[in-house]
Amino acid sequence: MTDPSRRSSGLRSWFSANGRLEFVLTLASVTLLTGACLALILVPRNAGPLQLATDEAEVLDTTEGIDDPRLTPVRRELQPFGPILVRRVAAGGEADALLVAHPGHRADLDVLEHELELAIADVSAAWGVDWNRAPVIVVAGTPTEFTALTRAAGATTTADVAAVSLTGSYAPGTRPTDQRIVFNPDARRRVGDEGLATLLRHELTHVATRGATTDGAPLWMLEGYAEYVAQRGQGTTFSQIAPTLTTRLRAGALPTELIGDADFTGTDAAYAYESAWSTCAFLADRYGPATLTELYKRLATGPQSPAAQDAAFTAVLGASRAELLDGWRAWLRGRAV
């Protein structure tokens, strides 16, 4: 017969042992869970498949509109390079423009945000308001990212390119809507705040005119017009806008022909852009800004042979190529001082 006191002692020992076991198991479970949580916190954000953000904590510097469908492809392309800032800017379009950059380029966004509404108004004053006045504007964080963002759209860029305007596919005769401007990360450092504002107007002009522009149109008109719109009314002098051209003019070297497309790449690109600007500035001065815009629309419809350009000059300006060139050279002489 079992002694009741011994049975009671045995039960106490059994419960005590199991209590210790439960305590050990509980402690082990807590330790494992804590370690798992720490591992989840410390694991890199880009480990595994890239996940798009779904809450405001993922996008800094904004509290609304982060589900804008225009932002989705931008976030997909930029998030592998780090967190992003997003700002919405009401600039007169049907929707707000979006400004996007990484935290290290907050100052760039400050300048662009401050200048955007006025820049869009300046472009609209020259071109009209029938264009996408709500673009997405991105400041790349590194040269590698700049290349990746522009190459994804089929653009070829170099370190010397300050900014690029990109347009998605659209039906001819319709207004493009999927448009983006991408700035080189060094653009503001190179040209300063005022220069960045001029670049913004230049690229916005390309955005505005894209629906009327076909690939292969003469670059002297496409780039010259964009720079004319960017510079007009800004109070800058001829020599400030075109220092390379000014130097050559003062040395007695007048242009003999409109600048060719091939001249816009290579070591003489600065002169090509300045020459194109001066041609358009002359045309606006002589024939009026509206006539310059009309000539743009005539020449921007695709590749133009010399004969086709001559026909456009006659139809729009009432002048031959020779008369245009003579007038342009005389206008340049008066500014090479």
Side-chain angles (χ1 to χ4, degrees), residues 31-54:
T31 301
L32 288 172
L33 288 172
T34 302
C37 291
L38 286 173
L40 288 173
I41 294 172
L42 295 176
V43 72
R45 290 186 57 84
N46 60 353
L50 179 64
Q51 300 293 318
L52 292 182
T54 56

Side-chain angles (χ1 to χ4, degrees), residues 31 153 170 202 217 249 274 293 322:
T31 301
Y170 64 98
H202 181 107
L249 292 174
E274 293 172 13
T293 298

Side-chain angles (χ1 to χ4, degrees), residues 64-337:
E64 61 177 338
I66 65 172
D67 59 345
D68 190 309
R70 296 173 297 159
L71 186 58
T72 300
V74 177
R75 289 162 70 179
R76 183 168 55 246
E77 293 169 15
L78 267 67
Q79 279 187 324
F81 294 91
I84 58 174
L85 310 176
V86 180
R87 297 184 189 176
R88 298 171 64 96
V89 180
E94 294 86 345
D96 292 342
L98 295 178
L99 303 181
V100 185
H102 296 293
H105 287 271
R106 188 185 299 271
D108 300 60
L109 288 191
D110 291 341
V111 174
L112 294 170
E113 182 178 19
H114 180 265
E115 295 289 340
L116 183 58
E117 185 174 6
L118 179 58
I120 287 177
D122 287 344
V123 174
S124 296
W127 184 256
V129 297
D130 187 19
W131 60 284
N132 173 27
R133 290 172 289 154
V136 176
I137 300 172
V138 179
V139 180
T142 65
T144 300
E145 185 179 21
F146 180 67
T147 300
L149 292 173
T150 53
R151 184 178 294 165
T156 301
T157 59
T158 66
D160 295 328
V161 175
V164 178
S165 59
L166 307 172
T167 300
S169 59
Y170 64 98
T174 64
R175 191 176 76 182
T177 55
D178 182 15
Q179 294 181 289
R180 188 188 305 178
I181 297 172
V182 182
F183 283 91
N184 187 305
D186 292 330
R188 178 171 165 270
R189 179 183 62 80
R190 293 178 186 176
V191 302
D193 291 359
E194 291 185 3
L196 191 66
T198 300
L199 279 172
L200 175 63
R201 289 192 295 273
H202 181 107
E203 296 304 328
L204 283 171
T205 303
H206 285 313
V207 169
T209 59
R210 187 62 179 120
T213 304
T214 302
D215 293 343
L219 288 178
W220 72 262
M221 174 54 82
L222 305 190
E223 295 299 340
Y225 184 82
E227 192 62 9
Y228 162 75
V229 174
Q231 296 287 356
R232 77 172 194 155
Q234 300 305 310
T236 45
T237 65
F238 183 95
S239 60
Q240 288 174 327
I241 297 171
T244 306
L245 176 59
T246 300
T247 299
R248 297 190 186 188
L249 292 174
R250 288 173 179 172
L254 283 166
T256 59
E257 187 52 86
L258 299 172
I259 203 74
D261 287 3
D263 296 315
F264 284 87
T265 57
T267 58
D268 222 15
Y271 172 77
Y273 278 90
E274 293 172 13
S275 178
W277 163 79
S278 73
T279 305
C280 290
F282 156 71
L283 291 171
D285 193 34
R286 173 68 63 87
Y287 301 98
T291 300
L292 171 63
T293 298
E294 183 183 352
L295 183 62
Y296 180 101
K297 292 178 179 178
R298 177 72 175 262
L299 294 178
T301 55
Q304 303 287 335
S305 66
Q309 289 195 47
D310 291 348
F313 298 151
T314 301
V316 178
L317 306 176
S320 66
R321 176 184 292 266
E323 290 171 329
L324 185 156
L325 291 173
D326 287 343
W328 176 40
R329 283 191 286 262
W331 186 85
L332 289 174
R333 287 190 193 95
R335 283 153 180 79
V337 293

